[in-house]
Structures are given as C-alpha cells and as structure tokens.
Amino acid sequence: MALPAQKDTYGCVTADSSKIRHLSDDEFTSELKAALERWTSSRVRGIWFHCNKLDSRFIPILVEHGFEFHHAQPTYCTLTRWLPEDAPSTLPKYPHMHIGCGGIVVDAEATEGSTMKPCCIFQGKFLLMREKKGHYLGWKFPGGLADPNENIYESASREVREETGVEAEGVAVLSFRQVNAAQWKNTGDIYFLIVMKPKDESKKEVTPCTVEAADAKWMTRSEINDLPNELFHSTLRKTLDTYDKWVASGSKGLAMEQTNSPIRRHVQMCTFAVDFTSRM
C-alpha cells in the first residue's frame, strides 16, 4: 500500500499515523522510504506528519529519516521534513506568542482623586489585586493568559472573575505590550489591557481567589496615588495616565466588532479598530 497523505495548495502533503496504525515497524519503514522517493520525484516540498500518542513507536523511525519535531499537544506530536535541497524551508513555525489579557475594571462611582468630570462613568474606583507568588507582588490589574477559543475580551473577563469574583465586561482595548521572551525557548508574550466595567453595579463584591490572590479590592485614585512604587509599579502609573487621556478624549477608542472570517466562513473573527465616535 502507498502511505496515505493529503496534498495542500502549498505543494506539501500531510500524513496521519492513525491511518497506518496497523503497520509493523518494518512495514512502516518500508512504506516511508517508498513515499519519500515518490514525493521527492513529484516535487513535493514539505511533509507534515501527525503522530498520535498511540503510535509513538513511529517517532524514532521518522527522526531517523530526517524528520524534525514541529510541535506537540497532549494527544499527538507533529513532525516535518523539507524535501528541496536547493531552497530553504518555508514551512510555518508553530505559534510562538502567548496572549495575555488584563482588565482595568472601573465602577461608576465618582471618587475623590479623579481628574475627570463627575458625569463620566469611567472615573470610579479601580479593581486591583495582588498575587500570592511571582516576581511582582504589588498591586496590579487582574489578568493572565488567554485560554484556547477565547477572544481577548472573554479572556480578560474570565481572569477578572477568577481572581476577584467580579463579573466584568470589555469596553475597549487601552493598550498592549510585547516582550520577545517568555517561559519557553523561542516564545514571546503579547499582553492586552482592556478597559472594563462591572456587568451589574449592584453586584461587585470582591471575593479574592484563595489559590492565586493574596488580596483584591476596589481602590480610589487617591489610594492608588498614595501607594509606594514597590506596591504599584511605575508602568502601571503610566497605564493610568493613558487611561485618563482615553477618558478625556470621549471617544470609544479601540473597540471590538465581531464578524465572520472571510477565509474560514464559519469561524468568528474579532476586529479591533479605532472608533472616534463618542461613548456618550
């Protein structure tokens, strides 16, 4: 039998171990050699081989025949091989950026220390928390890594809820930062800060997460201004300055619109664009 593989529009083929699970190691080796000769002669450029964890015995054979690891998930790993010897590989790398989201949650109560007009619903208390462990243990906006299949508003909402117990909804993206270093080699981090408001102003009691949070509470701007730098980082103060400018502008800012993807029609796409219309 010929090793089954599916061609794509980029001149590559994809094989799946689950379709040849019945082969012995010797049979698989023989089929793989024949397939490599066939694909090379037919000018196939790259090979993607998805290996289920039930078929992990195939991995040493693939490595022996020039395949390299591309990525791994709990139930499978993917190996690749680039065939053209006269051209560098153009196979895309596995995603190498983590996405994190934090929520700048502000209630609708006018408080002392705010520089905004009393009519503004975004000049109330700020929801802050402190981590139990980590490199920075001062006050910060609740947040963390996004989970699969979440948009950044959903990620921020979940993180705020998990760490403080407050249900909040996204209003606009205030800012984001990028760091080209993360927990694993060759990975980076993009962290979004989302302006948020409580879903229900009558239900905003703080219940800090007993596992992650050392403390969490609503704080006025005056209380935040009185915090020493070791308890409220200078970067966060700059974030509040940016927040003040956004509020003063009166515009909606970088707001989210949900549409369908033009490429994958049944996949929801979130578009973020500057909206200069008034929030009022």
Side-chain angles (χ1 to χ4, degrees), residues 21-249:
R21 188 169 292 159
H22 60 283
L23 295 179
S24 68
D25 289 358
D26 288 341
E27 290 172 331
F28 173 66
T29 301
S30 177
E31 291 295 338
L32 180 61
K33 287 180 177 179
L36 288 172
E37 291 179 3
R38 185 172 65 253
W39 291 331
T40 300
S41 63
S42 60
R43 297 186 177 278
V44 168
R45 298 177 65 77
I47 307 166
W48 300 87
F49 198 104
H50 300 311
C51 190
N52 189 282
K53 68 177 183 179
L54 298 176
D55 310 312
S56 58
R57 59 189 175 88
F58 292 154
I59 294 176
I61 301 172
L62 290 164
V63 172
E64 184 180 347
H65 287 81
F67 282 77
E68 298 179 341
F69 291 104
H70 186 268
H71 68 273
Q73 290 290 320
T75 60
Y76 75 92
C77 72
T78 294
L79 296 91
T80 63
R81 180 172 168 183
W82 181 252
L83 293 180
E85 297 181 354
D86 58 348
S89 173
T90 58
L91 294 176
K93 298 182 182 298
Y94 195 63
H96 49 86
M97 279 288 177
H98 295 291
I99 298 296
C101 301
I104 304 176
V105 188
V106 191
D107 69 11
E109 296 180 12
T111 60
E112 181 184 356
S114 172
T115 59
M116 299 298 107
K117 297 179 181 179
C119 64
C120 178
I121 64 172
F122 294 105
Q123 73 163 42
K125 295 179 180 178
F126 292 81
L127 181 60
L128 300 178
M129 62 87 64
R130 297 181 68 177
E131 301 275 6
K132 276 191 174 181
K133 51 187 176 182
H135 298 292
Y136 172 72
L137 299 178
W139 292 97
K140 71 180 191 71
F141 305 112
L145 289 178
D147 282 347
N149 301 314
E150 290 179 333
N151 65 51
I152 58 177
Y153 278 19
E154 293 168 341
S155 298
S157 179
R158 174 185 52 76
E159 285 290 341
V160 169
R161 181 179 65 253
E162 290 177 353
E163 295 182 345
T164 71
V166 176
E167 295 282 353
E169 57 187 2
V171 176
V173 177
L174 182 71
S175 64
F176 67 90
R177 59 117 173 106
Q178 178 180 348
V179 178
N180 289 322
Q183 186 173 358
W184 293 280
K185 185 178 180 180
N186 297 324
T187 61
D189 178 86
I190 297 177
Y191 196 86
F192 293 88
L193 283 171
I194 315 297
V195 176
M196 309 186 78
K197 62 182 181 180
K199 287 185 177 180
D200 187 337
E201 283 287 339
S202 66
K203 298 178 181 179
K204 53 186 181 183
E205 181 180 356
V206 178
T207 54
C209 172
T210 57
V211 177
E212 297 182 31
D215 198 2
K217 62 181 179 180
W218 294 99
M219 296 181 70
T220 66
R221 194 60 171 272
S222 293
E223 290 171 328
I224 295 173
N225 291 340
D226 289 341
L227 290 173
N229 285 336
E230 60 267 24
L231 291 182
F232 196 72
H233 197 274
S234 58
T235 301
L236 299 176
R237 297 190 192 278
K238 290 181 180 178
T239 297
L240 287 180
D241 290 341
T242 302
Y243 173 82
D244 287 343
K245 293 175 183 177
W246 172 75
V247 173
S249 74

